Every structure is written in structure tokens, then in C-alpha cells.
């Protein structure tokens, strides 16, 4: 057997073994569960918490929040944007007319 044939055969065996390992690990991963790993690709618990009754805090606009406009789904509420670009819904300022 020539040396180039041996190299080709050896390379094919290594690629075949690598493919087998990757296939088996892909099949095994969905069944893995861990409290340490985050909930990525179905791994870990992902911080599941039990239902707890309660109320959400009343969100209010503060100085520096930008008024975007009136909320389409809630009368008397407006859409604001805070300094970091997050939008939220809060009561419209007194006397606001769209």
C-alpha cells in the first residue's frame, strides 16, 4: 500500500470517528439536565419558579423619560422611552392631548 493511500485511509477513519462522536453527542444532549447550566437548548431548569399571586408595581414616568405618544390599547396611558431606550406604558401627563 502506498503512503498516500495510507494517509487517505487514516484521514477517512478519523473523520468517520469524529462524525460518529458528533452524532452520538447530538442525540445525548436533549436528555441532559443540569441545575448548573442555563436553559440553553433545553439544558438545565432555566430558573423555573412556582406561581406566586401578587400585583405588578405601578410604573410611573420620571424626569428625563421621553414621551412617545398615547397608548393605543389603554385609555389615559402613554408610551415613554427611558434613558437606556426601553419603552414602557405609564399614565399620561396632566392635560396631555394627542
Amino acid at each position: 500500500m502506498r503512503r498516500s493511500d495510507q494517509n487517505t485511509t487514516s484521514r477517512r477513519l478519523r473523520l468517520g470517528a469524529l462524525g460518529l462522536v458528533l452524532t452520538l453527542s447530538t442525540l445525548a444532549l436533549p436528555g441532559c439536565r443540569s441545575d448548573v447550566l442555563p436553559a440553553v437548548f433545553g439544558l438545565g431548569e432555566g430558573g423555573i419558579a412556582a406561581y406566586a399571586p401578587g400585583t405588578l408595581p405601578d410604573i410611573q414616568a420620571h424626569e428625563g423619560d421621553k414621551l412617545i405618544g398615547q397608548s393605543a390599547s389603554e385609555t389615559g396611558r402613554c408610551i415613554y422611552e427611558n434613558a437606556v431606550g426601553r419603552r414602557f406604558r405609564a399614565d399620561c401627563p396632566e392635560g396631555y392631548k394627542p
Side-chain angles (χ1 to χ4, degrees):
M1 189 180 249
R2 293 189 333 223
R3 183 153 182 92
S4 64
D5 291 340
Q6 288 176 342
N7 287 341
T8 304
T9 303
S10 176
R11 186 176 298 133
R12 285 183 184 165
L13 287 173
R14 280 184 275 159
L15 287 174
L18 178 62
L20 181 62
V21 168
L22 289 174
T23 301
L24 291 176
S25 64
T26 303
L27 294 173
L29 279 178
C32 293
R33 294 180 73 104
S34 170
D35 293 334
V36 177
L37 294 173
V40 178
F41 305 114
L43 300 176
E45 296 298 316
I48 296 172
Y51 171 77
T55 57
L56 294 173
D58 185 35
I59 299 173
Q60 296 181 358
H62 299 289
E63 190 175 325
D65 292 335
K66 179 181 171 187
L67 176 63
I68 303 294
Q70 190 172 15
S71 172
S73 60
E74 291 184 48
T75 306
R77 306 272 285 171
C78 286
I79 306 297
Y80 292 88
E81 185 174 8
N82 65 11
V84 294
R86 292 204 174 147
R87 293 186 177 192
F88 61 95
R89 204 176 293 144
D91 291 335
C92 290
E94 200 171 312
Y96 175 76
K97 300 237 192 255

